[in-house]
Amino acid sequence: MEARFDQQLTEQDTQEICYQLDRMHSYTLIFPKGGLILERDSLQQTLTQQRPWVVATLADLLKKCAETDNDAFQNQSYLLANLIPLVLRYFDTSVLNPPLRVFLALDAAPAYRSWLQAQLVAHLSDQYRVQFVPKRSECDLVVTNMDIAVSQPLISINTPPNHRDWATLQEFRI
């Protein structure tokens, strides 16, 4: 898991992960047909809608584990519901997010541009791995505070952005 997510684990993190995995293993041996905790299903559905790429990666991993015929890995839905929050808690999963290349066409000072870049990364971190590109022809999205015409998708914002601007940016889909 360390290699997969490019992070070093502390001893406490390792113990917590092992404890969680042991608990899931014990539970799946006792209840092999399905989880009894109903809120786990709603948690899994929420994560499936908000972070589908994380769910897909872990589902693929668990599918490969299930093919080993180990009884501990047969309850796929229960493991997914437990493993996804565990991974999200201990690892930066933004590396699994799809990249979003953004070109900023701003009439603004360099300090404001830097602040806005940090804010865009923070606001979109659950959906995308935001990358800022120097050329408009290389981007997936143009963010601007000017009236311009471009062939790429464009979101026009106020300076500074208001709540409606942030909501519009978060609803953007590649």
Side-chain angles (χ1 to χ4, degrees), residues 152-169:
Q152 295 88 351
L154 176 123
I155 294 181
S156 183
I157 61 169
N158 296 298
T159 50
N162 58 33
H163 293 294
R164 187 181 310 159
D165 294 329
W166 290 125
T168 303
L169 282 163

Side-chain angles (χ1 to χ4, degrees), residues 28 32 65-77 79:
T28 55
C65 290
E67 291 169 0
T68 64
D69 292 330
N70 184 332
D71 288 339
F73 296 113
Q74 300 310 310
N75 189 344
Q76 297 285 299
S77 62
L79 286 174

Side-chain angles (χ1 to χ4, degrees), residues 21-159:
L21 291 173
D22 285 343
R23 196 172 78 180
M24 286 188 295
H25 176 263
S26 300
Y27 187 91
T28 55
L29 290 177
I30 296 168
F31 304 108
K33 297 296 181 193
L36 298 179
I37 305 172
L38 295 177
E39 61 268 19
R40 295 291 185 189
D41 289 335
S42 63
L43 175 62
Q44 183 180 350
Q45 288 173 1
T46 301
L47 288 167
T48 302
Q49 293 167 358
Q50 292 177 356
R51 307 291 294 270
W53 46 94
V54 176
V55 176
T57 301
L58 290 174
D60 186 49
L61 171 69
L62 289 176
K63 183 179 175 188
K64 290 176 183 171
C65 290
E67 291 169 0
T68 64
D69 292 330
N70 184 332
D71 288 339
F73 296 113
Q74 300 310 310
N75 189 344
Q76 297 285 299
S77 62
Y78 178 79
L79 286 174
L80 264 179
N82 281 279
L83 192 58
I84 291 170
L86 183 67
V87 169
L88 293 177
R89 181 173 166 197
Y90 283 100
F91 299 101
D92 175 15
T93 57
S94 63
V95 295
L96 299 176
N97 291 355
L100 175 65
R101 296 170 305 194
V102 176
F103 177 76
L104 291 179
L106 293 178
D107 180 20
Y112 178 79
R113 180 182 291 272
S114 296
W115 174 83
L116 184 61
Q117 286 178 336
Q119 292 296 312
L120 283 170
V121 169
H123 277 82
L124 298 174
S125 64
D126 284 346
Q127 298 168 288
Y128 299 107
R129 187 173 66 247
V130 178
Q131 302 168 346
F132 296 97
V133 293
K135 295 180 183 175
R136 193 178 74 218
S137 60
E138 301 171 350
C139 74
D140 301 315
L141 173 67
V142 175
V143 175
T144 185
N145 63 350
M146 300 182 288
D147 185 19
I148 60 173
V150 294
S151 58
Q152 295 88 351
L154 176 123
I155 294 181
S156 183
I157 61 169
N158 296 298
T159 50

